[in-house]
């Protein structure tokens, strides 16, 4: 099987996407242009793209990451913490059921894929405003069947775990200490985000090691470059305005 990336188009209603803080002005046309650059980055790195149709009734639907978690050979369909986003799972279910066995997170569990960070044989799951204990326990049960360990990580001052901690490679993470306890990741080499860029620095590392980084965090980018990384710059300002990082726009199924 080739590596597959599932993405979803940007509806006009994306201007009304959920946000934690003050309502931003989102330029939907610009978001579409940025989305196209993002999908080109995936295609250039060998991913076959599955583009789900956007849905005007689901303003946050481009943030597909929150609707599914791939655990090697099984796909877990989530139950997003924001009720307004639960309808997004249906289209993802349709795409994934054609590819692999699926499992579901069920009530009262809530889980957003943005809270799930896979590092080696460990699945770190953010205990956040969107993901609750029951959701983590359900995911841990499914992960254990595949021989994976699950570690819950309290997350503060940010929407999802993956906005606070990102995988750079098998040994290294990019981490915002103001959002998670860095001691939980003491087994990894940690590159810290520059504090004032904690909410802006976002990276996406692909299965082949290629990396994309946001353009909005130049000081953290310098740190990455000094540490030997050479990310492709991807402008995702309109998605960041809606609290989304770079990982959130795709569900990646890497070929074994
Ligand atoms: C939300 O509030 O759910 C969306 N506006 C942002 C979701 C971003 N998801 C992610 O980073 N995984």
């Amino acid at each position: 099987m080739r590596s597959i990336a599932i993405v979803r188009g940007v509806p006009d209603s994306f201007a009304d996407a959920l946000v934690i803080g003050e309502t931003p002005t989102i330029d939907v046309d610009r978001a579409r242009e940025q989305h196209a650059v993002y999908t080109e980055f995936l295609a250039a790195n060998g991913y076959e793209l599955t583009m789900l149709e956007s849905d005007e009734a689901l303003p946050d639907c481009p943030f597909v990451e929150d609707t599914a978690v791939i655990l090697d050979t099984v796909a877990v369909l989530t139950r997003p913490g924001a009720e307004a986003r639960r309808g997004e799972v249906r289209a993802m279910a349709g795409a994934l059921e054609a590819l692999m066995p699926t499992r579901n997170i069920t009530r009262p569990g809530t889980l957003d894929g943005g809270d799930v960070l896979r590092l080696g044989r460990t699945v770190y799951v953010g205990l956040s405003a969107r993901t609750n204990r029951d959701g983590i326990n359900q995911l841990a049960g499914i992960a254990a069947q595949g021989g994976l360990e699950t570690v819950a990580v309290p997350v503060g001052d940010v929407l999802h775990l993956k906005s606070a901690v990102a995988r750079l490679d098998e040994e290294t993470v990019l981490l915002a200490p103001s959002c998670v306890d860095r001691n939980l990741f003491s087994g990894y080499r940690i590159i810290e985000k520059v504090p004032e860029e904690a909410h802006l620095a976002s990276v996406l590392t692909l299965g082949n090691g290629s990396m994309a980084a946001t353009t909005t965090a130049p000081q953290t980018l310098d740190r990455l470059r000094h540490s030997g990384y050479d990310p492709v710059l991807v402008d995702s300002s309109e998605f960041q305005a809606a609290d989304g990082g770079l990982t959130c726009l795709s569900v990646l199924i890497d070929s074994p």
Side-chain angles (χ1 to χ4, degrees):
M1 187 170 92
R2 286 190 62 193
S3 294
I4 294 171
I6 304 176
V7 296
R8 192 163 188 178
V10 180
D12 291 341
S13 62
F14 185 61
D16 302 318
L18 293 178
V19 278
I20 306 178
E22 281 176 31
T23 309
T25 304
I26 295 175
D27 182 331
V28 176
D29 288 334
R30 191 148 178 239
R32 289 192 176 116
E33 286 164 20
Q34 293 174 348
H35 196 264
V37 172
Y38 178 89
T39 56
E40 278 160 24
F41 170 72
L42 296 176
N45 280 284
Y47 286 88
E48 185 178 304
L49 292 171
T50 297
M51 172 74 83
L52 304 178
E53 210 175 308
S54 65
D55 185 335
E56 290 300 334
L58 300 168
D60 283 286
C61 68
F63 297 123
V64 286
E65 172 183 58
D66 294 319
T67 63
V69 175
I70 309 298
L71 294 178
D72 298 330
T73 54
V74 66
V76 181
L77 298 163
T78 68
R79 182 166 180 267
E83 207 174 333
R85 298 199 55 195
R86 298 213 175 123
E88 295 173 31
V89 179
R90 201 168 309 120
M92 181 57 71
L96 286 172
E97 281 161 3
L99 297 172
M100 61 207 303
T102 60
R103 303 285 298 274
N104 292 280
I105 300 296
T106 55
R107 186 192 302 263
T110 62
L111 181 84
D112 277 16
D115 275 316
V116 183
L117 173 68
R118 171 79 180 269
L119 294 172
R121 303 301 295 166
T122 306
V123 183
Y124 292 90
V125 191
L127 184 59
S128 71
R130 296 290 175 79
T131 295
N132 65 17
R133 280 270 174 210
D134 192 83
I136 296 176
N137 290 342
Q138 289 184 41
L139 186 72
I142 299 166
Q145 289 168 13
L148 302 171
E149 184 197 4
T150 298
V151 176
V153 182
V155 176
D157 190 38
V158 74
L159 186 60
H160 290 126
L161 174 64
K162 264 192 283 197
S163 306
V165 189
R167 176 183 169 280
L168 297 179
D169 56 38
E170 282 309 299
E171 289 89 37
T172 320
V173 293
L174 179 69
L175 181 146
S178 56
C179 305
V180 287
D181 178 358
R182 56 170 284 154
N183 293 322
L184 290 171
F185 295 90
S186 57
Y188 300 89
R189 184 166 73 117
I190 295 173
I191 298 176
E192 288 192 6
K193 296 186 188 187
V194 172
E196 56 271 33
E197 295 180 349
H199 294 103
L200 298 170
S202 173
V203 300
L204 166 66
T205 305
L206 303 178
N208 67 1
S210 294
M211 190 184 290
T214 47
T215 52
T216 42
Q219 296 178 75
T220 302
L221 184 62
D222 273 353
R223 281 190 185 177
L224 289 173
R225 286 180 172 150
H226 278 118
S227 301
Y229 298 99
D230 184 22
V232 172
L233 292 183
V234 174
D235 185 359
S236 62
S237 62
E238 304 314 297
F239 299 100
Q240 286 194 296
D243 299 330
L246 281 180
T247 59
C248 64
L249 294 173
S250 57
V251 168
L252 303 179
I253 305 167
D254 289 299
S255 62

